[in-house]
Amino acid sequence: MIKVIDLHKSYGDKNNKVEVLRGIDLEIKDGDFTVILGPSGSGKSTLLNVISGLEKTDKGKVLYNDSDITKLNDKELTEFRKNNIGFIFQQYYLLQNLNVDKNVRMGADLISNKDYKDIIKAVGLENKLNKYPSELSGGEQQRVAIARALSKKSKVLFLDEPTGALDEETGRSILDYIVKLQKEEKFTIIMITHNENIAEMANTIVRINSGKVVDIKNNKNPKSAYEIGW
Amino acid sequence: MKLGGNMISIKDILKNIGIVAMTMCATLVSTLFINFSIDLKSISDLVTEEGKALYDAQLMTSKVVVGVTGGCLLLTTLVTLFFYIKIYIDNHKSELGILKALGYSNISISKKFSAFGLSVFVGTLLGYITALLMMNYYYDVQLSGGLLPIFKPSYHIELLIYLVIIPSVIFSIISVLYSYKKLKTPALDLIKGITKTKVKRVSIDDNKSFLEQVKITTFKEKKSLVFFIGFAVFCFADLIQMGFSMDKYASSLMKWMMYIIGIILSAVTMLLAMNTLIKNQKKNIGMMRVYGYQMKDCKKYILNSYKVTAYIGFILGTIYQYFLLKIMIEVVFKDIEVPAYTFNYKLFFITLCIFAVIYELLIEYYSKKLNKIPIKEIMLDSI
């Protein structure tokens, strides 16, 4: 269970302060697929960064099974991310000087996962092990990022607009694959998007605007990636 | 950066302190030695049989010092200049892209980069003026043995042209040509910050861990860094040990010039190499930290990947200075009785210890510096 309590975050100095998160309260159950929905500038990326331990908060708590990660120092936060968190970003952020195999090993080696090649096979890249990111299409690069995130068997997977840079067909297949894996592996997904259609795939839809939660909806009938509009 | 007008400010030029320092040293040494050689040749008729050997030795020393020191500094200056221009273009990609999108041609933008030659002008001019101020003292030291006739320096104005004006003009032209080549990127790619980098394939044993593979890739993909780090440490080991060893054979002025040049040359080259390494690996380190790799791993496997190179550079620099000094003493002082030259083990170990401490401190500094950059900032940095 992830609990977010009265989360505040601002940027800038005293004279030029921009309050991005203004008292966020949230609960995410283990194994849930939560989408955080909001327009550009609503604070959804900052919320994801803070919940995942990439950024420090100004005020408030982020509890993972009653353990408050806002109290952790840099070293402890890094260790926390190593043991619990996986990321998939819109821009993939692959290591450009390493091939597919080595990019995936970046995640796998953290937990000494020797079976990481099965995940590469599962994302359909077994024939591109020696290709470099620049030699792959956007969809293939995102698959590498997925394999990298899954190879460390994260308990929580954070997705930051994962299909933002992909065409419809590739986007649908990527989402379909992630959801299929989530059902098998039972990890928690927290995805941010501004796309209302994609949100229909989640169990929980959290709408935020101007740094505040404006609505939380439980979706009893989540749609598949091929049923939603694009 | 001001669009269209004075694109490169004086502040940008002053940032090139490494170029100023190196060109100043090169011009200072060259002006002193060449000026002295010209004057010495002009009094060759007055040199006695007794002083002939010293006369020849002085001329030979001038040739070697100007060739080796001036050449090394000039080469390093050129590489440093390219590095600064590349960094400037990388840091101002979007503004340069907008200029191109507005219709400014590559050549009209790259002409502004001639301002980078100004840092060479400032350095060479400072070196020339310092040499003029030191000239009387230098002549007194060089002629103190009494074997050569005493003479006062004549100031050869042509040296100002050869050592200040011409290098400044050449470096300005090189800056324009290099920036022109670098600006051949489409305007949209510059605005969006898209960099098309050629990925170098590095074959590694698959059984090695991810961190080991990162270390090998970091080391192998940039051969230029291997050279620069090796060269920086080579210069440090070479010039510092040579400076100490020359105590018995040359003036203390020469010894101090060796120290200063050694420190400046190695410091500028090493900082240049480390900054390039950080720039290339910043995003990888950022992503590794996101995934849970500690900074100590990044330090060990990325920042320290050139450690062996650095120590090889030290050993080569030590061997080079030993043989160079041995040969120089045999050639230059062949007709003069001087103490025999032997390898100084104590000096070697002291220099090695100083180098090891400086190297570790440098790595620690860059590691701390990287650790202070928020991960978000690294990731938001254009790809």
Side-chain angles (χ1 to χ4, degrees), chain B residues 46-66:
Chain B
L46 305 174
V47 177
T48 58
E49 271 306 307
E50 210 183 358
K52 186 75 172 67
L54 185 62
Y55 170 86
D56 291 338
Q58 293 278 25
L59 287 181
M60 179 65 86
T61 308
S62 295
K63 274 183 195 168
V64 173
V65 171
V66 171

Side-chain angles (χ1 to χ4, degrees), chain B residues 94-125:
Chain B
S94 57
E95 294 98 321
L96 293 166
I98 290 166
L99 283 179
K100 284 183 74 168
L102 286 171
Y104 285 88
S105 66
N106 282 351
I107 193 69
S108 66
I109 300 171
S110 42
K111 269 182 195 168
K112 307 278 181 189
F113 281 82
S114 61
F116 276 88
L118 197 62
S119 47
V120 174
F121 178 70
V122 172
T124 49
L125 191 64

Side-chain angles (χ1 to χ4, degrees), chain B residues 277-286 370 373 378 381:
Chain B
L277 177 67
I278 297 295
K279 193 171 150 41
N280 289 341
Q281 299 297 331
K282 194 174 154 187
K283 208 164 273 297
N284 289 355
I285 291 173
L370 267 176
I373 306 172
I378 296 176
D381 205 11

Side-chain angles (χ1 to χ4, degrees), chain A residues 35-104:
Chain A
V35 157
I36 299 169
L37 197 64
S40 294
S42 59
K44 55 185 189 304
S45 285
T46 305
L47 179 60
L48 181 133
N49 290 341
V50 174
I51 301 178
S52 62
L54 281 182
E55 271 193 87
K56 297 263 185 187
T57 173
D58 297 341
K59 190 187 158 196
K61 291 178 179 175
V62 179
L63 304 170
Y64 279 76
N65 298 328
D66 299 327
S67 167
D68 188 1
I69 67 160
T70 61
K71 300 278 187 284
L72 303 179
N73 62 28
D74 267 353
K75 202 177 167 185
E76 290 164 339
L77 265 178
T78 308
E79 192 66 18
F80 162 78
R81 289 197 300 270
K82 174 185 165 184
N83 297 327
N84 298 283
I85 309 291
F87 293 93
I88 296 172
F89 299 98
Q90 182 179 351
Q91 295 90 348
Y92 328 126
Y93 293 121
L94 299 176
L95 273 60
Q96 298 297 316
N97 54 349
L98 296 181
N99 64 19
V100 170
D101 181 80
K102 284 157 200 146
N103 262 287
V104 178

Side-chain angles (χ1 to χ4, degrees), chain A residues 99-121:
Chain A
N99 64 19
V100 170
D101 181 80
K102 284 157 200 146
N103 262 287
V104 178
R105 276 195 72 169
M106 178 179 160
D109 273 18
L110 282 167
I111 57 155
S112 306
N113 179 2
K114 303 281 177 207
D115 304 323
Y116 71 96
K117 283 194 177 161
D118 293 344
I119 300 166
I120 298 177
K121 198 176 171 187

